[in-house]
DNA sequence: CGTACATTGCACATGGTTGTGCAACTGCAC
DNA sequence: GTGCAGTTGCACAACCATGTGCAATGTACG
């Protein structure tokens, strides 16, 4: 047997690493990138990739595992020995974010599905209108956030998605979800929780 | 010519509608569902689907367009004639949520990509630890939210994703992003914006 | 140099999906 | 019943990606 069997030459290791790196970038651009695209982008032939990873799934698996391990480690490190929950959350977010910088692409990959791409594209006008509204609130001082309006619009959008998922997964009763969504979005924009609650209760009875 | 050419019989219209409805559900279960799967689920033959939609892409396009139109309408209706930004946001969220109930599946579809599936699965332990931390904060009264801890964890996760996207899209300077993320997550959990800001500034200097 | 391993460049089988063509069938309406 | 639109059931071509086999080539290292 001479064919590559998970070898460990200097060259082999370098290639393996490069393949992983390039795959990360390539899969971001196109989540459905083929093995051939990835191989070529890594300056290597398709057959070679199969020398390092037995299947496409194995490649992606490795990628995801690496990211998750680093992320879990950062998350744990951030909150270790901190008793104040607020501080623990803050620390872990900062820690995760630091390493996430490298994997930001991978995580974003998830949002760039072909179908997702289409959805977010067509949602652009709605988002634009949201930005406008959020900007007005920030200018008036009704909202207060560390984020510029466009970024805040992303947060708004994703909070909605998060709560839809929560309902789908049975973590949240559908009857309450609407109110909760409204309150949570408002809270995220910096409106005091008590005010947000009162406002939504008044609107939705 | 006798073959179906975007006809408009009662039966044809009913079929078209059923295909769309079923496709929505089927694509949720499996975003990569084939035309055959969709057709069979709709109690129809693959060839018939092509009678209504010239291509797979056209089908999905129609689906997404419908959802977005309904959503945009709800969004606009919610904020029309309301001058208070907070109230406008609350109203539009409630309005969107109401109709989104039907399209919740479609939006969730985006999160259920093959790759996304893998990521979120492996992120489970991290999320679990998050839930625990959030629960502690809620119990202590440090946090205050309309949401139960598990749902709040989803929000936490998605806010991170949102800001990563924001950075990727150039809406947020990478240098500020970490701090902003921490503050925003804390704010969403109900920690007063000023406190959150101070805490994070203290931790990250 | 020569050995050992990685890489290359084909070729090939396989499987799945898309989109189309056409003849036969079904049901509703006039 | 006659007719027409929709539907069905095949059959088919084309494409594309995956995974594997094998001989030839390249390259590091003792």
């Amino acid at each position: 047997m001479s064919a590559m069997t998970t070898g460990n030459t200097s060259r082999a290791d370098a290639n393996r690493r490069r393949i992983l790196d390039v795959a990360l970038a390539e899969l971001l651009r196109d989540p459905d990138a083929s093995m051939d695209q990835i191989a070529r982008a890594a300056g290597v032939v398709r057959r070679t990739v199969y020398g390092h990873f037995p299947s496409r799934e194995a490649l992606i698996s490795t990628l995801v595992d690496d990211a998750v391990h680093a992320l879990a480690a950062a998350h744990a490190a951030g909150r270790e020995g901190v008793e104040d929950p607020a501080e623990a959350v803050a620390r872990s977010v900062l820690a995760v974010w630091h390493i996430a910088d490298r994997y930001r692409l991978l995580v974003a990959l998830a949002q760039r599905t072909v179908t997702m791409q289409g959805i977010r594209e067509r949602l652009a006008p709605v988002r634009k209108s949201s930005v406008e509204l959020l900007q007005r609130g920030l200018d008036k001082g009704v909202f207060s956030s560390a984020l510029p309006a466009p970024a805040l619009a992303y947060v708004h959008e994703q909070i909605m998605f998060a709560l839809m998922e929560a309902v789908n997964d049975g973590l949240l009763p559908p009857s309450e979800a609407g109110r909760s969504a409204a309150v949570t979005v408002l809270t995220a924009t910096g409106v005091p929780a008590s005010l947000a609650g009162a406002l939504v209760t008044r609107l939705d009875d």
Side-chain angles (χ1 to χ4, degrees), chain A:
Chain A
M1 61 210 73
S2 63
M4 54 238 100
T5 31
T6 323
N8 52 352
T9 314
S10 60
R11 188 164 77 251
D13 264 14
N15 266 352
R16 190 191 145 93
R17 218 157 252 301
R18 183 147 30 92
I19 289 171
L20 282 173
D21 286 348
V22 168
L24 194 63
E26 211 61 16
L27 284 172
L28 166 68
R29 250 198 359 162
D30 174 15
D32 292 329
S34 71
M35 292 295 257
D36 195 59
Q37 285 175 53
I38 294 173
R40 284 183 190 287
V44 136
V45 174
R46 191 168 66 96
R47 191 62 183 77
T48 301
V49 177
Y50 280 103
H52 291 282
F53 306 93
S55 74
R56 177 195 162 79
E57 201 193 327
L59 204 187
I60 297 187
S61 219
T62 304
L63 231 39
V64 175
D65 278 346
D66 284 0
V68 168
H69 283 150
L71 197 139
H75 179 81
R79 46 172 297 200
E80 81 179 2
V82 182
E83 75 290 0
D84 175 29
E87 180 171 338
V89 166
R91 279 189 187 281
S92 77
V93 169
L94 288 172
V96 165
W97 191 273
H98 196 261
I99 74 98
D101 219 44
R102 168 134 208 289
Y103 295 110
R104 189 155 23 97
L105 300 181
L106 178 63
V107 177
L109 180 162
Q111 310 266 322
R112 309 234 169 169
T113 315
V114 203
T115 51
M116 188 54 167
Q117 199 76 342
I119 292 179
R120 295 193 49 130
E121 253 169 45
R122 295 178 227 220
L123 232 42
V126 176
R127 202 179 308 122
K128 194 180 145 219
S129 139
S130 257
V131 171
E132 188 187 299
L133 175 54
L134 291 169
Q135 186 64 61
R136 224 178 69 217
L138 287 171
D139 290 345
K140 277 198 176 184
V142 178
F143 303 151
S144 91
S145 169
L147 302 172
L152 202 51
Y154 276 32
V155 170
H156 177 172
E157 197 173 299
Q158 290 298 118
I159 288 179
M160 297 290 285
F161 289 178
L163 293 186
M164 290 185 191
E165 269 291 286
V167 173
N168 281 339
D169 292 0
L171 269 51
L172 203 60
S175 52
E176 294 286 342
R179 270 182 294 276
S180 300
V183 173
T184 304
V185 169
L186 280 178
T187 303
T189 61
V191 174
S194 54
L195 280 186
L199 173 57
V200 174
T201 301
R202 176 165 67 80
L203 294 179
D204 189 64
D205 45 6

